[in-house]
Amino acid sequence: MQKVNTISFYPGPSKIDDKLPLYLAEACRIGILSANHRSKPFMELYQQTEALFKEKMNLPRGYHLYFVSSATECWQVIAQSYYGMSALHVFNGAFGEKWYQTAAKINPSVKPMYFSLNKTLSINKLAANILSDESLICITQNETSNGTQVSAGTLKHIRSRFPKSLIAIDATSSMGGIVLPWQAADIWYASVQKCFGLPSGLGLLILSEKARKKAIQLTHNQYYNSIINLISNRENWQTTHTPNVLNIYLLNQIVKNRPPIENISRALKKRAEYLYDFLHKNKYKILATNAHTHSKTVIAVKYNDISTLKENAQNAGIILGNGYGKWKENTFRIANFPAITDEEFNRLYAFLFQA
Ligand SMILES: *Cc1c(COP(=O)(O)O)cnc(C)c1O
């Protein structure tokens, strides 16, 4: 294969962290890749990685980290493990909808609530759609397909309005990039090829004590990746299967060596602000018109002749993200992830300025 000498602004898989060669060499050197996943070195790696999430990402006490294979797997794991609960899926884009469709095949009583791309999520509408106080409420925090987000403030309101419900959040393209209001939800998940700047093939699932208790109470344990089995394995700092140890090690090193999440979040938000402003000044149109909903980590821009733009970008050594789902033909996307440097963004601005 030829070396790809371009900067990727694709929102997943995305540009890998510049320090990865070091961490990869270290992973080989220290022998962790040959260690059995029921042995002490792996157990220490797991325990340390969760501790780092508490230290660097402010994961609160009582929240535990579990390793799965992908965010997509979490759609299935959550639907199977909380089977029998009344569930409401709230979304405005393709990933939220796919999550809903996956859950609906497992549990036909799951309900969708679609909200408009240009509106903020209405809590009153949510209240009107919810069937039980003790529902499972499923929300995509950062909708990668259309560049919108549900704000921390809205998530906190939902939490206080529905204190008995379990709230599950897809934060696949924001976890590791922005400060998340952990306590506003019980179930969080992501995969590592977005804001963590790692190769694909590892999913992260985070559960509050309430989420764990509910899974145990429901007793659905028929699948290897049922939440009950994730919980019992974690009690020994182990996983249900031979996991992606390399990626877990790389994640550990990324979280350990990057600044605390507040700092990362501040820098990304500043860059997002600059980028939106730049796009506006240069007559680019953001897909979502309501600035309150604009994502900090994935920017979706309307454009007519996508194929020419992408080709010109490629010639300038830049890979723009395709549009996604129903916005595939008329948008391009820009990842504002921590692994992408400000110098690389300067190259993007120079390209977009003359395009
Ligand atoms: C990328 C993405 C997924 C899917 O992630 P996989 O690692 O491919 O399973 C799910 N939800 C959102 C919001 C995403 O951005």
Side-chain angles (χ1 to χ4, degrees):
M1 270 171 80
Q2 260 189 325
K3 180 173 175 339
V4 189
N5 205 358
T6 44
I7 310 164
S8 176
F9 289 89
Y10 219 100
S14 54
K15 190 201 156 193
I16 53 168
D17 193 281
D18 286 331
K19 297 246 177 67
L20 228 58
L22 284 174
Y23 304 153
L24 282 162
E26 190 65 4
C28 297
R29 195 184 66 79
I30 63 173
I32 186 77
L33 304 182
S34 309
N36 185 292
H37 63 293
R38 313 255 173 239
S39 73
K40 202 152 175 250
F42 177 78
M43 290 156 67
E44 281 175 5
L45 174 65
Y46 188 163
Q47 184 172 12
Q48 244 192 43
T49 307
E50 187 178 292
L52 282 166
F53 265 66
K54 303 216 155 141
E55 185 192 324
K56 302 294 282 281
M57 310 251 302
N58 303 337
L59 190 68
R61 251 167 184 266
Y63 282 72
H64 294 169
L65 172 66
Y66 304 88
F67 297 113
V68 291
S69 301
S70 66
T72 304
E73 188 187 1
C74 292
W75 295 342
Q76 180 185 331
V77 165
I78 294 166
Q80 288 172 335
S81 298
Y82 297 101
Y83 183 88
M85 285 182 81
S86 148
L88 181 67
H89 283 251
V90 182
F91 54 88
N92 74 353
F95 283 101
E97 186 172 22
K98 278 191 183 179
W99 182 7
Y100 159 68
Q101 287 165 344
T102 303
K105 282 183 198 155
I106 293 165
N107 180 4
S109 73
V110 162
K111 268 186 62 175
M113 178 188 131
Y114 183 80
F115 67 102
S116 153
L117 175 64
N118 293 315
K119 295 226 171 104
T120 50
L121 199 178
S122 155
I123 299 172
N124 287 333
K125 192 172 160 198
L126 205 166
N129 275 276
I130 211 164
L131 291 177
S132 146
D133 275 355
E134 293 184 38
S135 289
L136 175 67
I137 304 174
C138 300
I139 300 170
T140 304
Q141 192 274 326
N142 199 67
E143 181 47 82
T144 319
S145 66
N146 59 27
T148 64
Q149 68 154 8
V150 177
S151 72
T154 300
L155 293 178
K156 287 176 190 168
H157 276 133
I158 295 171
R159 164 91 293 168
S160 60
R161 182 90 174 256
F162 309 101
K164 289 188 180 157
S165 289
L166 274 191
I167 300 173
I169 309 280
D170 181 340
T172 305
S173 54
S174 54
M175 189 187 293
I178 61 167
V179 169
L180 294 171
W182 298 114
Q183 318 247 26
D186 304 290
I187 302 163
W188 293 86
Y189 63 85
S191 38
V192 296
Q193 75 275 18
K194 311 234 167 142
C195 289
F196 291 100
L198 293 173
S200 57
L202 178 66
L204 309 175
L205 177 66
I206 288 170
L207 300 176
S208 71
E209 190 182 355
K210 188 161 107 185
R212 297 196 300 274
K213 280 193 173 149
K214 189 71 190 177
I216 291 166
Q217 184 201 331
L218 288 169
T219 68
H220 301 310
N221 66 353
Q222 58 270 62
Y223 306 102
Y224 85 96
N225 55 3
S226 296
I227 284 177
I228 289 196
N229 297 329
L230 299 177
I231 292 171
S232 61
N233 273 279
R234 180 198 161 280
E235 281 169 10
N236 300 313
W237 300 110
Q238 291 179 14
T239 52
T240 54
H241 60 292
T242 317
N244 188 335
V245 180
L246 172 58
N247 236 335
I248 295 172
Y249 177 79
L250 298 174
L251 175 72
N252 177 292
Q253 292 299 300
I254 286 278
V255 178
K256 188 174 183 173
N257 293 304
R258 278 186 179 177
I261 192 66
E262 293 87 351
N263 301 24
I264 295 176
S265 186
R266 207 178 308 122
L268 281 192
K269 283 183 180 176
K270 215 171 128 192
R271 196 160 70 183
E273 217 171 279
Y274 183 88
L275 180 55
Y276 280 114
D277 197 47
F278 170 90
L279 290 166
H280 179 72
K281 282 186 181 142
N282 288 283
K283 311 273 182 274
Y284 289 91
K285 297 257 181 301
I286 305 303
L287 175 61
T289 54
N290 181 349
H292 293 296
T293 69
H294 286 171
S295 163
K296 311 298 177 201
T297 51
V298 179
I299 289 83
V301 187
K302 272 206 239 184
Y303 204 82
N304 284 330
D305 191 357
I306 294 291
S307 53
T308 307
L309 183 77
K310 285 204 66 182
E311 202 181 305
N312 291 340
Q314 189 101 43
N315 292 335
I318 287 167
I319 299 175
L320 296 171
N322 283 338
Y324 193 95
K326 71 174 176 186
W327 300 285
K328 197 174 174 63
E329 303 304 327
N330 63 355
T331 59
F332 66 91
R333 292 176 301 157
I334 301 167
N336 180 29
F337 292 167
I340 307 171
T341 65
D342 289 344
E343 290 73 45
E344 288 168 335
F345 263 93
N346 288 338
R347 271 177 65 186
L348 177 71
Y349 300 139
F351 169 74
L352 290 175
F353 181 74
Q354 54 73 49

